[in-house]
């Protein structure tokens, strides 16, 4: 039994090989949609996995990581900062950390001091605190508004109706740069309906950009996860957030 168990563990595909597959999947979906594969970025969602898993992904060329839980994320960011400071990592490109989980007011300082992007802003008060608390020696925080595109009752996210006003208010905050919209629709029964929901997020971004009132148009549509990469890319996603397909199941 022990032998069988070990062989199953050893058969687990490596993070490097999973990353290669996900990148191929992104390229195929982009080509099928008539888009440049480089127009879609891959955010590796490392929530619940340790710093060792992130290091494995970095060694396979991944540089952008998403975290849902603030404390866990900050611990990993700090662990990776120490690892990057070792002489052996001297040629390594910088990492980019995205906060993609719910943020309570009492956690904004940690977020402002440690992350590069925040994709889960859904109310002005959180944005104001992030702007006030962003340290002066760091570049502005890159922001996406989380939109509750399919109206799930218990879901976070600004409603599509309120998104324009929030975008215009967030764009005025001095230490933030508004980059785009992020959405987490409910799982869809098939690719066509998944795509249709993602297209509503694309249309909302286009509508807000067209209305003006922003210092620069938003350029980021963060949508698509392990299960709905292809329909999200067909609908115009510029950043897919992938956890399971890279790191495995979260148990
Ligand atoms: C967990 C999570 C993901 C990744 O989901 P997978 O299905 O594991 O790819 C992406 N975005 C957000 C906001 C998440 O919470």
């Amino acid at each position: 039994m022990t032998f069988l168990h070990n062989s199953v563990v050893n058969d687990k595909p490596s993070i490097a090989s999973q990353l290669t597959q996900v990148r191929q999947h992104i390229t195929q979906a982009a080509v099928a949609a008539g888009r440049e594969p480089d127009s879609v970025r891959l955010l590796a969602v490392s929530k619940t996995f340790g710093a060792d898993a992130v290091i494995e992904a970095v060694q396979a060329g991944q540089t952008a990581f998403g975290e849902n839980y603030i404390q866990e994320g900050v611990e990993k960011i700090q662990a990776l900062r120490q690892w990057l400071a070792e002489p052996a990592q001297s040629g390594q490109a910088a990492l980019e950390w995205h906060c993609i989980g719910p943020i309570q007011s009492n956690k904004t300082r940690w977020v402002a001091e440690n992350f590069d992007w925040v994709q889960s802003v859904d109310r002005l008060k959180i944005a104001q605190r992030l702007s006030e608390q962003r340290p002066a020696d760091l570049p502005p925080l890159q922001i996406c508004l989380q939109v509750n595109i399919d109206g799930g009752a218990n879901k976070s996210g600004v409603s599509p109706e309120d998104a324009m006003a929030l975008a215009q208010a967030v764009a005025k905050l001095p230490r933030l740069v508004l980059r785009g919209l992020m959405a987490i629709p409910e799982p869809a029964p098939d690719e066509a309906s998944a795509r249709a929901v993602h297209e509503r997020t694309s249309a909302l971004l286009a509508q807000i950009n067209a209305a003006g009132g922003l210092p620069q148009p938003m350029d980021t549509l963060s949508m698509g996860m392990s299960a709905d990469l292809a329909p999200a890319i067909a609908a115009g996603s510029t950043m897919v957030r992938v956890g399971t397909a890279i790191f495995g199941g979260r148990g």
Side-chain angles (χ1 to χ4, degrees):
M1 288 309 283
T2 308
F3 175 75
L4 180 63
H5 177 72
N6 283 341
S7 74
V8 169
V9 168
N10 292 339
D11 281 349
K12 202 178 142 214
S14 68
I15 289 172
S17 71
Q18 302 267 68
L19 265 170
T20 302
Q21 284 205 0
V22 170
R23 290 187 191 122
Q24 283 170 354
H25 192 171
I26 291 171
T27 299
Q28 283 163 6
V31 169
R35 300 182 51 197
E36 287 293 330
D38 300 358
S39 66
V40 185
R41 295 186 67 198
L42 172 59
L43 184 70
V45 178
S46 41
K47 65 181 175 202
T48 79
F49 293 91
D52 52 338
V54 174
I55 289 172
E56 226 182 299
V58 171
Q59 287 172 331
Q62 180 65 26
T63 53
F65 294 90
E67 289 286 336
N68 281 60
Y69 311 106
I70 315 286
Q71 178 164 349
E72 178 195 327
V74 169
E75 282 166 11
K76 240 173 274 177
I77 291 170
Q78 291 173 351
L80 267 288
R81 211 172 273 153
Q82 282 194 359
W83 178 77
L84 283 172
E86 293 169 7
Q89 273 68 252
S90 59
Q92 172 62 47
L95 304 185
E96 189 180 276
W97 292 93
H98 295 233
C99 175
I100 59 173
I103 306 170
Q104 275 102 40
S105 298
N106 62 355
K107 299 276 172 58
T108 52
R109 184 174 298 279
W110 271 11
V111 174
E113 289 177 350
N114 288 283
F115 284 86
D116 304 295
W117 285 64
V118 183
Q119 300 197 11
S120 42
V121 169
D122 63 359
R123 52 195 200 279
L124 186 57
K125 183 185 165 200
I126 295 293
Q128 284 166 333
R129 291 176 66 91
L130 290 172
S131 181
E132 282 159 16
Q133 294 169 344
R134 181 66 168 173
D137 60 333
L138 294 180
L141 258 180
Q142 310 295 301
I143 301 291
C144 291
L145 303 183
Q146 183 175 346
V147 180
N148 184 357
I149 197 66
D150 52 359
N154 305 320
K155 281 197 346 202
S156 7
V158 63
S159 70
E161 298 73 40
D162 294 336
M164 175 134 24
L166 181 60
Q168 290 173 346
V170 167
K172 292 198 175 74
L173 295 171
R175 299 290 291 140
L176 308 184
V177 175
L178 179 65
R179 296 295 299 272
L181 303 180
M182 184 271 262
I184 319 173
E186 291 301 307
D190 52 60
E191 290 226 343
S193 36
R195 177 174 172 170
V197 176
H198 288 309
E199 277 170 350
R200 293 189 351 230
T201 311
S202 300
L204 182 63
L205 181 128
Q207 185 196 341
I208 297 172
N209 278 344
L214 302 180
Q216 59 189 58
M218 296 184 284
D219 62 4
T220 302
L221 266 172
S222 171
M223 51 191 204
M225 316 200 293
S226 296
D228 62 345
L229 275 187
I233 290 171
S237 172
T238 67
M239 192 185 296
V240 290
R241 309 178 309 269
V242 179
T244 309
I246 296 171
F247 296 105
R250 287 181 292 271

